[in-house]
Amino acid sequence: MVGANTPSATWMVLVTVVKAVAKPGARPLELGELLRAHREQLGLSQQHLADLSTVSIRTIRNIESGSIRKPRRQTLSMLADTLKLDKISCALLNDAAECAKPTVGFDLRPPYPFSSFVGRLDDRDTITRTLTAGDSRLAVISGLGGVGKSRLAMEVTLRLREQNGWPVLWVPLGESTDAGPIMSAATAISLDAIRGDAGSCAKLAQLIGGNDALIVLDGLQGGDSAEAFAFGLLRACPRLRLLATTAAPWRARGALSLRLAALAVPSRDIWDAPAQLGETESVRLFLERMYQGQTGPSVPMADLEGVAELCCLLDGIPLALELAAARCAELSPELLLHDMITATDGTSDQTVPCEFDPVWEVIGNSCDLLTGSQREHARRLARSGSRWSVENIAVELELSVSAAIDLIDAMAAIGTIRMENRASSPEIVLLNLVRRVLLAPVP
């Protein structure tokens, strides 16, 4: 039976601390070492401490091993209460957590978001949990342009840094991001390493060493060179974690691969239920951006229905939703619906607000990942309809069923279609915004 941490037991742990720091050149005990000393002083196993405190055994193991150096205050408080620590011991434990400083040669804060994070909580938690536990040290987020890959990576990164105190190196890649004149030396080395410079890769590995660290590669292009860079660095740095965002899925061995879908759009059967309508992810995002978080019961039903229509029209793609919500500062959702015309029959005289140019650009970049024949097949489907079965696609395009499945796989990989009714009769739905890009006149 575990009782209170007696004065003699506390004294013995304090003696351990004093002896550790009294040695010439010695460093203070780290959080994990202190926790282990208190646990072992009471004769508790990690499992026993987990059972008594309700803190998971994985978290306790990660703290004691040093994988987690800055746990949540609530976690530390629960462990201290279970161990019956006195004020001095609690203070030492908290100081060890607060003073946990990264020893990596960089500690750059990730870019901070300027708006709230809506939806994707399960995706965020899955990636955070996987990288923290070390089940996989490489996570890859892929999806259609504008679907929110970078925003999700930003949220995961901030959470990992807050929970674990890991130093972070955010490396912007591709056309959508620019490190600019404030590019750090570590970022410059990373860019050269990704391009295949062996010397830069060695320098980066030396900066990280055997320490905990997180590198985010935002906009990474997959392929042999990217895989060689990532796995070479992971092999050289056993406590490094890598998080990458890509347009096309990167099927790297051993990686957590997450294909990010658009936000859920409201189904017609809840159109007359304002509470359910307002809780749909895409509608929530639109309303938060439209009303700056003041969604409450003051949202007129007409506006709510117009927003729901817009969310369906814009396929639940966050970038398009945010741009449309910004326009609602001048227009009501109903007027914006009248103003927004998407291509439905392939004619070239249809227009959309110029504010949506960023959407067409990023979706166009995603469509460019299709081969020439795949894109032509996709254009034929866009001209003919928006919902298909596998057999109908094969007939329409005069393909074998196997070839039709290959086309569907290629289009699903980059997020240009979504699958509905998977359990019964699967339907392939071509996204509205993708149809407009595919049917746009070729310059």
Side-chain angles (χ1 to χ4, degrees):
M1 183 178 73
V2 179
N5 201 347
T6 63
S8 60
T10 299
W11 176 253
M12 292 184 70
V13 174
L14 290 175
V15 168
T16 302
V17 175
V18 172
K19 285 182 177 180
V21 299
K23 296 176 182 178
R27 56 169 177 77
L29 287 180
E30 293 185 354
L31 174 64
E33 295 170 317
L34 279 175
L35 179 62
R36 185 184 303 110
H38 284 297
R39 176 178 61 77
E40 291 178 348
Q41 188 62 44
L42 290 177
L44 296 176
S45 66
Q46 290 178 333
Q47 183 63 63
H48 200 176
L49 179 57
D51 293 339
L52 292 171
S53 65
T54 69
V55 175
S56 73
I57 187 172
R58 175 176 288 178
T59 298
I60 293 172
R61 285 173 179 165
N62 286 336
I63 293 174
E64 291 193 359
S65 68
S67 295
I68 296 180
R69 299 188 181 190
K70 297 188 72 172
R72 293 181 182 178
R73 290 184 179 180
Q74 182 182 6
T75 299
L76 211 55
S77 177
M78 292 166 66
L79 292 171
D81 289 345
T82 303
L83 293 168
K84 306 295 183 184
L85 300 186
D86 58 23
K87 291 183 179 180
I88 296 176
S89 297
C90 283
L92 288 171
L93 206 65
N94 286 322
D95 285 347
E98 291 298 323
C99 294
K101 295 181 180 179
T103 54
V104 177
F106 58 81
D107 184 17
L108 308 179
R109 295 179 180 272
Y112 280 95
F114 51 84
S115 56
S116 57
F117 183 67
V118 177
R120 275 61 184 281
L121 296 181
D122 288 343
D123 293 333
R124 180 200 64 185
D125 293 344
T126 296
I127 298 172
T128 302
R129 185 169 55 250
T130 299
L131 291 177
T132 297
D135 295 338
S136 176
R137 291 191 292 127
L138 172 62
V140 181
I141 305 171
S142 63
L144 186 70
V147 80
K149 302 182 293 295
S150 297
R151 183 65 179 86
L152 174 59
M154 197 181 300
E155 199 69 20
V156 169
T157 301
L158 292 170
R159 196 172 181 83
L160 286 170
R161 194 175 191 280
E162 176 186 349
Q163 286 183 359
N164 304 327
W166 293 345
V168 171
L169 176 61
W170 183 286
V171 183
L173 302 161
E175 298 178 1
S176 60
T177 50
D178 181 12
I182 60 171
M183 181 189 298
S184 71
T187 304
I189 292 172
S190 300
L191 292 172
D192 288 340
I194 293 167
R195 296 184 186 111
D197 182 70
S200 296
C201 196
K203 287 180 184 177
L204 188 58
Q206 188 176 12
L207 279 174
I208 300 166
N211 300 292
D212 289 301
L214 174 66
I215 294 181
V216 184
L217 307 173
D218 187 28
L220 180 68
Q221 299 298 315
D224 294 340
S225 60
E227 184 169 340
F229 161 77
F231 279 94
L233 202 56
L234 288 169
R235 280 192 294 268
C237 307
R239 300 173 77 94
L240 171 68
R241 273 76 166 179
L242 276 177
L243 174 60
T245 68
T246 69
W250 182 26
R251 298 181 175 94
R253 61 188 185 279
L256 169 65
S257 183
L258 175 66
R259 188 179 298 176
L260 194 61
L263 294 175
V265 298
S267 58
R268 290 286 176 179
D269 57 356
I270 63 169
W271 224 251
D272 296 325
Q276 289 180 271
L277 206 59
E279 284 303 309
T280 308
E281 286 184 346
S282 56
V283 175
R284 279 177 52 211
L285 177 67
F286 197 105
L287 291 176
E288 285 203 18
R289 302 298 186 262
M290 178 180 170
Y291 287 103
Q292 297 299 314
Q294 299 178 0
T295 55
S298 60
V299 180
M301 189 60 196
D303 277 358
L304 197 57
E305 291 176 351
V307 167
E309 290 277 9
L310 281 167
C311 289
C312 293
L313 186 67
L314 299 174
D315 303 304
I317 295 175
L319 177 59
L321 295 176
E322 291 182 336
L323 292 173
R327 291 205 78 215
C328 285
E330 295 84 25
L331 299 175
S332 70
E334 285 189 329
L335 285 176
L336 184 56
L337 269 173
H338 287 292
D339 191 38
M340 289 189 59
I341 306 171
T342 56
T344 55
D345 58 6
T347 58
S348 60
D349 59 346
Q350 296 178 335
T351 60
V352 291
C354 62
E355 289 90 341
F356 284 82
D357 286 348
V359 178
W360 314 134
E361 181 180 356
V362 294
I363 293 180
N365 290 338
S366 291
C367 290
D368 287 343
L369 296 173
L370 297 171
T371 66
S373 60
Q374 289 171 343
R375 182 157 183 147
E376 184 52 40
H377 286 322
R379 283 175 60 87
R380 287 178 60 184
L381 293 178
R383 283 194 292 267
S384 302
S386 60
R387 290 179 174 267
W388 304 85
S389 67
V390 176
E391 293 77 11
N392 288 341
I393 288 177
V395 171
E396 177 70 23
L397 301 178
E398 299 177 342
L399 298 173
S400 66
V401 172
S402 176
I405 291 174
D406 287 342
L407 174 63
I408 293 168
D409 182 55
M411 296 181 68
I414 58 175
T416 54
I417 59 175
R418 68 173 183 269
M419 304 289 289
E420 294 185 357
N421 304 320
R422 290 172 181 263
S424 53
S425 178
E427 281 188 313
I428 294 91
V429 180
L430 187 62
L431 300 187
N432 295 320
L433 300 185
V434 172
R435 293 186 72 217
R436 183 194 181 279
V437 169
L438 289 172
L439 295 175
V442 179

